[in-house]
């Protein structure tokens, strides 16, 4: 179990699946924790057939309804495979649901771009007495409000985070910055940014992206300089935010420079989002051939 889990958590999902087969061939019977790790591994591999096999094994043992950890793992597995109807079905059949069950389903809808459905599930969760939101709830639901521009609902969730003390959590705070920035409340977003710990890239990425999308390219670039001065190493998301900011502000030369330095200085290999930002930036500037 330990080595299968280690491979799965380390991003070596295929190796984890192979180890499981070796475990079965050795005559060692898997337990619930084995199947939880295996479910995550097959989801990472995009192995739909393997997922069905895992689910069948779990059902034969009665773990899908008898063990909430296994049930939650099945919801998560199907959601990550974009089988959200199957995830919902497993969730509906759970005899008992904890806050992790609800969070897993909400996150599943968000991972599949279904923000309205994620909010619907959250609203259903609120109607269940005794279930209080945890960090994962805020991190799942706030992006849904951000994507829909639902500022009032997001503000109510901000108040709830203060009430529960989770507004101080860096992940929750980052989601709040993103919410206010995407809804055009840049002053509020900046205030949140200035009053939270900024030792990770998340808050910087959120505020840079928010400023950029509203055309404040110079401010976004100044924040990037400040980020470097404070010793925070940018990641690939930072450069997506920067390139998008350059695109919206028409800062073509700066954008091309960032695209180059991302690779030569920081060793970050461009992915599709970086190329898309460059295409958008050059297209807006009329440089269609480039």
């Amino acid at each position: 179990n330990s080595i299968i889990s280690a491979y799965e958590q380390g991003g070596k999902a295929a190796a984890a699946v192979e180890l499981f087969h070796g475990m079965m061939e050795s005559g060692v019977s898997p337990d619930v924790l084995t199947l939880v790790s295996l479910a995550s591994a097959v989801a990472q591999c995009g192995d739909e057939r393997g997922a069905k096999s895992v689910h069948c094994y779990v059902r034969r043992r009665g773990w899908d309804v008898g063990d909430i950890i296994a049930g939650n793992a099945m919801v998560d597995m199907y959601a990550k495979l974009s089988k959200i109807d199957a995830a919902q079905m497993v969730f509906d059949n759970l005899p008992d649901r904890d806050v992790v069950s609800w969070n897993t389903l909400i996150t599943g809808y968000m991972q599949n771009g279904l923000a309205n459905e994620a909010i619907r599930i959250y609203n259903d969760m609120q109607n269940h007495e005794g279930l209080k939101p945890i960090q994962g709830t805020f991190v799942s639901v706030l992006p849904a409000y951000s994507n829909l521009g639902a500022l009032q609902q997001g503000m109510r969730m901000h108040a709830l985070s203060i009430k529960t003390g989770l507004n101080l959590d860096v992940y929750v705070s980052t989601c709040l910055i993103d919410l206010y920035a995407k809804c055009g409340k840049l002053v509020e977003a900046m205030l949140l940014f200035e009053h939270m710990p900024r030792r990770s890239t998340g808050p910087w990425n959120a505020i840079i992206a928010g400023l950029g999308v509203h055309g404040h390219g110079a401010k976004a670039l100044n924040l990037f300089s400040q980020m470097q001065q404070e010793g925070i190493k940018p990641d690939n998301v930072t450069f997506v935010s920067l390139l998008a900011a350059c695109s919206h502000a028409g800062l073509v030369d700066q954008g091309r420079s960032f695209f180059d330095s991302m690779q030569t200085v920081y060793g970050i290999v461009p992915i599709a989002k970086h190329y898309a930002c460059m295409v958008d930036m050059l297209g807006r500037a009329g440089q269609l051939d480039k």
Side-chain angles (χ1 to χ4, degrees), residues 208 211-213 215-217 220-221 240-251:
I208 289 171
L211 289 168
V213 78
H216 299 285
L221 268 58
V240 171
S241 301
L242 271 177
L243 293 173
C246 291
S247 178
H248 284 87
L251 303 172

Side-chain angles (χ1 to χ4, degrees), residues 169-231:
D169 178 88
V170 66
Y171 297 104
V172 175
S173 296
T174 299
C175 290
L176 288 168
I177 291 170
D178 185 61
L179 167 76
Y180 285 109
K182 282 184 177 174
C183 291
K185 298 292 184 180
L186 296 178
V187 173
E188 289 83 352
M190 188 60 76
L191 281 173
L192 279 170
F193 174 75
E194 290 173 349
H195 288 90
M196 69 173 292
R198 303 193 297 267
R199 292 183 295 274
S200 63
T201 58
W204 295 91
N205 294 346
I207 195 65
I208 289 171
L211 289 168
V213 78
H214 291 288
H216 299 285
K219 290 182 179 178
L221 268 58
N222 286 336
L223 271 174
F224 178 65
S225 297
Q226 184 183 339
M227 177 182 179
Q228 291 176 300
Q229 291 168 9
E230 295 192 16

